[in-house]
Amino acid sequence: MLVSWSSKMETGIEEIDRQHKRLFEIAEKLYEVKNGDPESLNIGIAATAEELLDYAKIHFDTEEGMMEKAGFEGYAEHKKIHAAFQEEAKAYQARINERTEDVFLAMEIMNFLIDWIIGHISGKDQEYVPFIGN
Ligand SMILES: [Fe+2]
Protein backbone atom coordinates (compact mmCIF):
# COMPACT_ATOMS: atom_id res chain seq x y z
CA MET A 1 0.00 0.00 0.00
CA LEU A 2 1.57 3.24 -1.12
CA VAL A 3 -0.83 5.51 0.69
CA SER A 4 -0.30 4.69 4.31
CA TRP A 5 -1.00 6.73 7.35
CA SER A 6 1.98 7.36 9.60
CA SER A 7 2.12 8.69 13.13
CA LYS A 8 4.33 11.54 11.85
CA MET A 9 1.23 12.95 10.21
CA GLU A 10 -0.74 13.06 13.42
CA THR A 11 -1.58 16.51 14.73
CA GLY A 12 -2.92 15.39 18.10
CA ILE A 13 -6.10 17.33 17.32
CA GLU A 14 -8.75 14.66 17.43
CA GLU A 15 -11.17 15.94 14.85
CA ILE A 16 -8.41 16.87 12.40
CA ASP A 17 -6.70 13.48 12.71
CA ARG A 18 -9.99 11.71 12.15
CA GLN A 19 -10.66 13.74 9.01
CA HIS A 20 -7.10 13.33 7.72
CA LYS A 21 -7.41 9.56 8.11
CA ARG A 22 -10.66 9.65 6.16
CA LEU A 23 -8.90 11.56 3.36
CA PHE A 24 -6.28 8.82 3.33
CA GLU A 25 -8.94 6.14 3.09
CA ILE A 26 -10.38 7.82 0.01
CA ALA A 27 -6.90 8.27 -1.47
CA GLU A 28 -6.30 4.54 -0.97
CA LYS A 29 -9.44 3.89 -2.97
CA LEU A 30 -7.79 5.65 -5.91
CA TYR A 31 -5.13 2.94 -5.87
CA GLU A 32 -7.74 0.23 -5.67
CA VAL A 33 -9.45 1.69 -8.73
CA LYS A 34 -6.11 1.79 -10.52
CA ASN A 35 -5.53 -1.89 -9.87
CA GLY A 36 -9.04 -2.83 -10.91
CA ASP A 37 -10.77 -3.13 -14.28
CA PRO A 38 -8.87 -1.02 -16.89
CA GLU A 39 -12.09 -0.49 -18.88
CA SER A 40 -13.66 1.52 -16.09
CA LEU A 41 -10.46 3.10 -14.81
CA ASN A 42 -11.10 6.71 -15.84
CA ILE A 43 -14.69 6.65 -14.65
CA GLY A 44 -13.56 5.15 -11.35
CA ILE A 45 -10.77 7.67 -10.88
CA ALA A 46 -13.12 10.55 -11.72
CA ALA A 47 -15.76 9.33 -9.25
CA THR A 48 -13.25 8.75 -6.46
CA ALA A 49 -11.58 12.09 -7.15
CA GLU A 50 -14.98 13.70 -6.75
CA GLU A 51 -15.53 11.91 -3.45
CA LEU A 52 -12.10 13.05 -2.28
CA LEU A 53 -12.74 16.66 -3.25
CA ASP A 54 -16.18 16.71 -1.63
CA TYR A 55 -14.69 15.47 1.61
CA ALA A 56 -11.67 17.81 1.30
CA LYS A 57 -14.09 20.73 1.18
CA ILE A 58 -15.69 19.67 4.48
CA HIS A 59 -12.27 19.12 5.99
CA PHE A 60 -10.83 22.45 4.82
CA ASP A 61 -13.82 24.25 6.35
CA THR A 62 -13.13 22.55 9.69
CA GLU A 63 -9.42 23.32 9.56
CA GLU A 64 -9.88 26.92 8.47
CA GLY A 65 -12.49 27.48 11.18
CA MET A 66 -10.07 26.23 13.83
CA MET A 67 -7.17 28.30 12.51
CA GLU A 68 -9.27 31.44 12.38
CA LYS A 69 -10.66 30.91 15.86
CA ALA A 70 -7.18 30.38 17.26
CA GLY A 71 -5.95 33.57 15.59
CA PHE A 72 -3.26 31.57 13.80
CA GLU A 73 -0.98 33.97 11.91
CA GLY A 74 -0.69 31.66 8.88
CA TYR A 75 -4.46 31.36 8.45
CA ALA A 76 -4.85 33.50 5.31
CA GLU A 77 -1.92 31.85 3.55
CA HIS A 78 -3.14 28.36 4.47
CA LYS A 79 -6.62 29.15 3.22
CA LYS A 80 -5.15 30.28 -0.11
CA ILE A 81 -3.26 26.99 -0.42
CA HIS A 82 -6.50 25.05 0.09
CA ALA A 83 -8.26 27.17 -2.53
CA ALA A 84 -5.42 26.75 -5.04
CA PHE A 85 -5.54 22.97 -4.59
CA GLN A 86 -9.30 22.92 -5.11
CA GLU A 87 -8.94 24.96 -8.29
CA GLU A 88 -6.20 22.78 -9.70
CA ALA A 89 -8.17 19.65 -8.87
CA LYS A 90 -11.29 21.07 -10.52
CA ALA A 91 -9.34 21.81 -13.68
CA TYR A 92 -8.16 18.19 -13.69
CA GLN A 93 -11.73 16.99 -13.22
CA ALA A 94 -12.88 18.98 -16.22
CA ARG A 95 -10.11 17.42 -18.31
CA ILE A 96 -10.84 13.87 -17.23
CA ASN A 97 -14.52 14.33 -18.02
CA GLU A 98 -13.58 15.38 -21.55
CA ARG A 99 -10.97 12.70 -22.06
CA THR A 100 -12.47 9.60 -20.49
CA GLU A 101 -10.21 7.29 -22.55
CA ASP A 102 -6.97 8.92 -21.50
CA VAL A 103 -5.42 6.55 -18.98
CA PHE A 104 -2.28 8.65 -18.61
CA LEU A 105 -4.37 11.61 -17.60
CA ALA A 106 -6.19 9.47 -15.02
CA MET A 107 -2.82 8.40 -13.57
CA GLU A 108 -1.65 12.01 -13.53
CA ILE A 109 -4.75 13.09 -11.61
CA MET A 110 -4.42 10.23 -9.18
CA ASN A 111 -0.79 11.07 -8.48
CA PHE A 112 -1.52 14.77 -8.14
CA LEU A 113 -4.25 14.16 -5.55
CA ILE A 114 -2.30 11.61 -3.54
CA ASP A 115 0.96 13.59 -3.55
CA TRP A 116 -0.82 16.75 -2.55
CA ILE A 117 -2.72 15.14 0.33
CA ILE A 118 0.36 13.43 1.75
CA GLY A 119 2.62 16.49 1.27
CA HIS A 120 0.11 18.91 2.74
CA ILE A 121 -0.76 16.85 5.79
CA SER A 122 2.85 16.06 6.64
CA GLY A 123 4.04 19.58 5.86
CA LYS A 124 1.84 22.66 5.93
CA ASP A 125 -0.76 21.26 8.34
CA GLN A 126 1.87 20.69 11.01
CA GLU A 127 2.44 24.47 11.25
CA TYR A 128 -0.88 25.26 12.94
CA VAL A 129 -0.60 22.45 15.49
CA PRO A 130 1.14 24.45 18.26
CA PHE A 131 -1.47 27.21 17.87
CA ILE A 132 -4.54 25.05 18.07
CA GLY A 133 -3.84 22.21 20.49
CA ASN A 134 -6.59 19.78 21.40
FE1 LIG B 1 -4.62 22.15 5.45
Side-chain angles (χ1 to χ4, degrees):
M1 183 62 63
L2 288 158
V3 193
S4 57
W5 178 259
S6 106
S7 57
K8 271 191 301 197
M9 296 173 192
E10 244 151 63
T11 62
I13 305 155
E14 212 183 304
E15 192 177 9
I16 296 290
D17 285 337
R18 188 177 51 75
Q19 292 186 349
H20 280 166
K21 283 178 187 161
R22 177 77 193 119
L23 282 174
F24 263 66
E25 279 169 23
I26 306 171
E28 277 174 21
K29 275 169 70 175
L30 287 171
Y31 271 109
E32 285 163 26
V33 172
K34 190 193 106 182
N35 297 327
D37 180 7
E39 294 285 303
S40 54
L41 187 131
N42 283 42
I43 294 162
I45 295 275
T48 313
E50 193 175 341
E51 186 185 348
L52 185 80
L53 291 170
D54 285 350
Y55 192 73
K57 193 183 178 325
I58 295 168
H59 167 61
F60 292 161
D61 284 348
T62 304
E63 222 176 57
E64 287 165 15
M66 282 185 181
M67 283 189 271
E68 190 178 22
K69 203 173 145 213
F72 171 53
E73 59 190 7
Y75 163 68
E77 187 209 355
H78 201 128
K79 198 178 153 132
K80 270 189 206 155
I81 290 170
H82 286 167
F85 166 71
Q86 286 169 303
E87 250 175 58
E88 201 171 346
K90 263 186 219 151
Y92 264 127
Q93 278 185 308
R95 283 169 64 200
I96 202 172
N97 287 332
E98 280 166 18
R99 287 155 59 187
T100 51
E101 306 286 295
D102 189 341
V103 175
F104 292 104
L105 179 62
M107 291 295 111
E108 193 183 319
I109 294 168
M110 185 191 80
N111 288 328
F112 164 73
L113 293 172
I114 292 172
D115 288 350
W116 193 90
I117 294 287
I118 294 174
H120 185 75
I121 291 176
S122 28
K124 204 74 198 163
D125 280 349
Q126 301 301 322
E127 292 177 7
Y128 62 66
V129 176
F131 295 86
I132 295 177
N134 201 359

